[in-house]
Structure formats: structure tokens, C-alpha cells
Amino acid sequence: MIKNWAIIRDILIRLEATSTPNTALDANQFPEYPEQEVAYNMRLLSEAGYIKANILESKSGDGRIAAALARSLTNSGHELLDTIRNDTVWAKVQDTFKSKGMDMTFDLVIMLGKKIAENFLLS
């Protein structure tokens, strides 16, 4: 499995858009992506402290995630989303990583996103 930034951004955006603070998103509510990829990226976001989630590992030995529920954004999750929500900033972040041939990490995405947003604001 890979860290999929399109899925990560979509999870964050959809969590923020929920109608109540306690509305959970299930990994199967993202029909445009394979459920296991969504579940895996929910687990990554949870482990990194960007969302609160319940992740249930399969006990059948197949290596799958049996269930993944994203429950809410943490303050750090809001900060990450604030950095990458804007489509123009997000496109520039992706283009920069691609042109430099570097892997996108949470810390680098936040740092670069803030710098790009700052440049937009000051120009």
C-alpha cells in the first residue's frame, strides 16, 4: 500500500464537511477509491495524529483492514487541511514534489504548502 495524497486530502475535506462533530466516515463511503486504500490512508492519518479513527484489523490472516471509521479531525488535521485545501496551492505543492522527484511527507507538505500560500499572500 502507498500513501495516496488524493485520498488523504479527500478524507480531510469530507471529515471537515460533516454536519455534526460526531459524524463518522466509513472507508466504503469513497466509491471512487478502493476501500482498502481508503482504510489504509485513514490508518496513516490516525497514526500521525491528524484524525481520530477506529481501525479494525482483519483476524482472518488476509492482511486486510476489516473496518475503518474516521471520526473527526484533530487540531493538527485542521492545520494540515488548511494548508492543502486551496486547489491552487495544492496543485503547486504536487507539482513541486513531482518536479524535484521527492516523496511527499506530512511535514514537507505542510512546510511547502505554507510557503506557497505565504508567497501568494505577499505577491
Side-chain angles (χ1 to χ4, degrees), residues 61-75:
D62 60 3
R64 297 174 58 83
I65 296 173
L69 286 175
R71 296 187 340 261
S72 63
L73 289 173
T74 64
N75 189 57

Side-chain angles (χ1 to χ4, degrees), residues 23-96:
T23 300
L25 296 177
D26 193 307
N28 66 14
Q29 291 177 288
F30 296 77
E32 62 273 44
Y33 306 114
E35 184 177 348
Q36 286 299 297
E37 285 186 39
V38 175
Y40 178 74
N41 283 278
M42 283 180 175
R43 181 168 65 191
L44 291 177
L45 283 164
S46 178
E47 290 172 349
Y50 294 109
I51 67 170
K52 292 183 180 180
N54 295 99
I55 309 296
L56 179 64
E57 305 294 336
S58 173
K59 297 195 186 311
S60 67
D62 60 3
R64 297 174 58 83
I65 296 173
L69 286 175
R71 296 187 340 261
S72 63
L73 289 173
T74 64
N75 189 57
S76 296
H78 280 286
E79 292 291 321
L80 173 58
L81 181 56
D82 289 345
T83 305
I84 63 173
R85 178 188 298 105
N86 179 279
D87 291 335
T88 303
V89 171
W90 179 236
K92 199 148 182 66
V93 166
Q94 290 178 24
D95 291 346
T96 301

